[in-house]
Amino acid sequence: MTRWGVKSFLAIVIAGLCAGCMTKAGTYEEGLGPKGLPKEWPTANGRPLRPVPMPSGEFLLALPRETTAQVLCQATPAERWKELMGGDVAREVEHGESCHAVGMDSWVRISLNRTAVAGSTGLGTRKEVTVAGRPATVVLGGSPSLVEVKPSGTDAHVLRIETGWTRVPPRDDQGEGRLLGLAESVLAGAFGPGPKLPAADERDVIERKTVEPGAGILDASLPEISWKLCTGIQRALGLPAAATEPYSDGKCTATATDDSPIRVEHAVLRTEPRGEPVAGRPASESGGQLSVLLTDNGSGQGLRFSWRDRSEAELRELAGKLLPPLLGG
């Protein structure tokens, strides 16, 4: 086996030790890719970037996953991407949950994760650094190289940025500068000064809060979605605020005047509902639950409605009252 063959083999073995780390695109294995951007983009598992609001404070930690990935790709300005990647860059949201970028001879993946991997053995040379005033861990010389930093001192999430080469790495590997530069720009662009997430009790219930629908719930944080759902249910059924409970994960439960329980929750719909539309949106009912797709942008953002002991017609009537303001109408 040649020297490069041995190196490629070892890189693959080491990468396998990194649970949850970067899985390289099939035609862009390290040392094998062409010098240039992919001809087909987005990839089979990717979706194009779309306009999303930039969050502040801790609210990126509570956005729908696809929205989070969009923000992670767009928090860094396009010109800064070009500087750090050494030329033009193609970006996409991959698998609906991470930002994937390919430059002329390198790739990057950015994600929010619940579990850190930088402390695992066999990944490369590890060192502790500071990024935007936050402690971070950089791992270099592995496949991939990566940086992990906690964007919030009170939350378990870890911002992970991974990078590697689509060609044979040059002698002056710029991976560390790319990792730290991206980490700093993402933290500045998506975690600027702002509100903290609301505290949740042992059942994941957050404080009650009346929130006007405003621009709707598309790409909103999950607590905000919960507040808007509860506000809508109160008004649609004439219930007191005490009859509703908002949750941190984009869900509101309520008790109707006849004591029947209601549940409306944010969900990612993997397939488009095929039943009769509600408020002009694709919808379908199954097992006493009504699913409604809220957008056609590929993110799958939707709502699921349930109301025990009520008919499908009554469930659709409730959804028809709630949806227009939640869609921004």
Side-chain angles (χ1 to χ4, degrees):
M1 186 179 290
T2 66
R3 179 165 62 91
W4 284 115
V6 172
K7 186 172 181 179
S8 298
F9 174 76
L10 291 176
I12 293 171
V13 172
I14 293 172
L17 298 174
C18 181
C21 285
M22 171 74 184
T23 301
K24 301 187 191 72
T27 57
Y28 282 83
E29 295 289 341
E30 186 169 334
L32 299 179
K35 186 174 179 62
L37 298 182
K39 292 182 179 180
E40 295 184 7
W41 197 264
T43 63
N45 296 318
R47 294 201 60 84
L49 302 188
R50 58 182 181 82
V52 290
M54 286 293 120
S56 60
E58 297 180 352
F59 275 78
L60 176 62
L61 304 173
L63 292 177
R65 289 183 68 85
E66 195 271 350
T67 307
T68 297
Q70 291 281 352
V71 169
L72 293 176
C73 260
Q74 298 178 62
T76 299
E79 285 304 311
R80 182 60 173 152
W81 270 105
K82 293 176 69 172
E83 291 174 7
L84 293 169
M85 299 285 281
D88 290 335
V89 182
R91 292 172 288 164
E92 66 177 356
V93 166
E94 189 177 50
H95 296 293
E97 59 184 28
S98 62
C99 169
H100 176 227
V102 173
M104 301 301 288
D105 53 13
S106 59
W107 57 258
V108 162
R109 178 169 281 113
I110 310 175
S111 58
L112 275 178
N113 302 272
R114 285 287 186 179
T115 304
V117 300
S120 304
T121 58
L123 300 182
T125 302
R126 186 169 62 250
K127 68 177 181 178
E128 305 302 319
V129 298
T130 299
V131 179
R134 300 167 173 87
T137 302
V138 180
V139 180
L140 302 171
S143 179
S145 294
L146 62 95
V147 61
E148 287 185 336
V149 56
K150 289 188 66 173
S152 169
T154 60
D155 190 88
H157 283 88
V158 173
L159 174 66
R160 181 183 305 145
I161 304 178
E162 303 159 294
T163 191
W165 297 94
T166 58
R167 296 168 55 80
V168 175
R171 292 183 179 180
D172 55 338
D173 188 341
Q174 300 298 311
E176 181 175 4
R178 184 183 311 127
L179 289 170
L180 298 181
L182 282 170
E184 184 174 354
S185 63
V186 170
L187 291 170
F191 289 95
K196 293 185 177 297
L197 289 172
D201 66 15
E202 66 278 359
R203 295 193 301 117
D204 211 24
V205 176
I206 58 178
E207 64 174 318
R208 293 185 179 92
K209 187 176 180 180
T210 299
V211 178
E212 296 296 330
I217 62 172
L218 292 178
D219 296 319
S221 69
L222 297 177
E224 184 180 6
I225 291 173
S226 298
W227 288 325
K228 291 183 176 183
L229 291 176
C230 283
T231 300
I233 292 172
Q234 291 174 45
R235 293 175 177 176
L237 299 179
L239 300 176
T244 65
E245 280 190 327
Y247 291 73
S248 67
D249 61 353
K251 175 175 74 241
C252 178
T253 62
T255 303
T257 53
D258 62 354
D259 291 332
S260 59
I262 301 166
R263 176 186 177 113
V264 185
E265 60 186 321
H266 181 272
V268 177
L269 306 184
R270 301 299 181 185
T271 59
E272 182 174 329
R274 299 295 184 182
E276 181 181 349
V278 176
R281 298 304 310 163
S284 62
E285 193 272 344
S286 177
Q289 190 174 76
L290 178 68
S291 298
V292 182
L293 182 66
L294 301 181
T295 178
D296 302 316
N297 63 21
S299 65
Q301 295 179 69
L303 289 175
R304 290 197 176 102
F305 299 80
S306 61
W307 193 351
R308 187 182 299 173
D309 301 326
R310 293 300 182 102
S311 66
E312 179 183 348
E314 290 172 302
L315 189 58
R316 284 177 169 271
E317 182 180 0
L318 173 63
K321 292 179 180 179
L322 291 179
L323 281 171
L326 297 177
L327 292 169

